[in-house]
Amino acid sequence: QVQLVESGGGSVQAGESLTLSCAVSGYRFQNFCMGWFRQAPGKEREGVASIDSDRGSNVAESVKGRFSISFNNVKKILYLQMNSLKPEDTAMYYCAADPPITVGLCYNLGARPIYQGQGTQITVSS
């Protein structure tokens, strides 16, 4: 059973940085497809970034140049480095994963992932 556990959320001021981590277990595919999405109250889910073993990383236009994604495949930890945070980045952030053979979030950031964590809250104040 795939389990994703996020950590690193919190409250920051605009312009500051945060790094989210996601501990991945039970993901027994040789290749990988993982990512992050966020959801603010009253808003649609928004794919933030994805990374897969074949094609590398992809980030949403709304965070390009500020956020980056990486995956330590030895430690099985997914990261989201968030710099120059803005109040509009305030949301619940979820770690996500798909089996690498699916046409999921690593092809379309807006796709609903098969696996997701419980989420961690990020609040950015101006």
Side-chain angles (χ1 to χ4, degrees):
Q1 182 178 355
V2 176
Q3 289 191 320
L4 308 172
V5 180
E6 304 94 338
S7 60
S11 297
V12 296
Q13 297 288 320
E16 293 184 344
S17 299
L18 272 178
T19 300
L20 300 184
S21 300
C22 174
V24 181
S25 60
Y27 190 86
R28 307 194 186 286
F29 303 99
Q30 183 174 0
N31 296 331
F32 60 86
C33 167
M34 302 196 179
W36 296 88
F37 68 91
R38 65 188 181 185
Q39 190 161 20
K43 294 190 176 181
E44 296 287 321
R45 185 183 73 252
E46 178 187 14
V48 175
S50 67
I51 185 169
D52 75 71
S53 49
D54 292 330
R55 299 181 304 157
S57 62
N58 181 36
V59 295
E61 285 298 321
S62 59
V63 302
K64 192 162 287 185
R66 300 188 297 120
F67 290 14
S68 61
I69 186 172
S70 59
F71 180 55
N72 186 320
N73 201 10
V74 174
K75 296 183 177 180
K76 305 299 184 187
I77 300 177
L78 181 71
Y79 299 97
L80 183 68
Q81 175 66 43
M82 304 182 292
N83 300 324
S84 302
L85 282 160
K86 303 176 180 180
E88 51 263 43
D89 294 320
T90 296
M92 187 73 80
Y93 283 72
Y94 297 87
C95 177
D98 276 331
I101 59 173
T102 60
V103 183
L105 65 95
C106 290
Y107 289 84
N108 174 11
L109 276 177
R112 181 179 293 277
I114 291 177
Y115 308 108
Q116 68 179 70
Q118 294 298 307
T120 186
Q121 178 69 35
I122 301 294
T123 302
V124 185
S125 56
S126 58

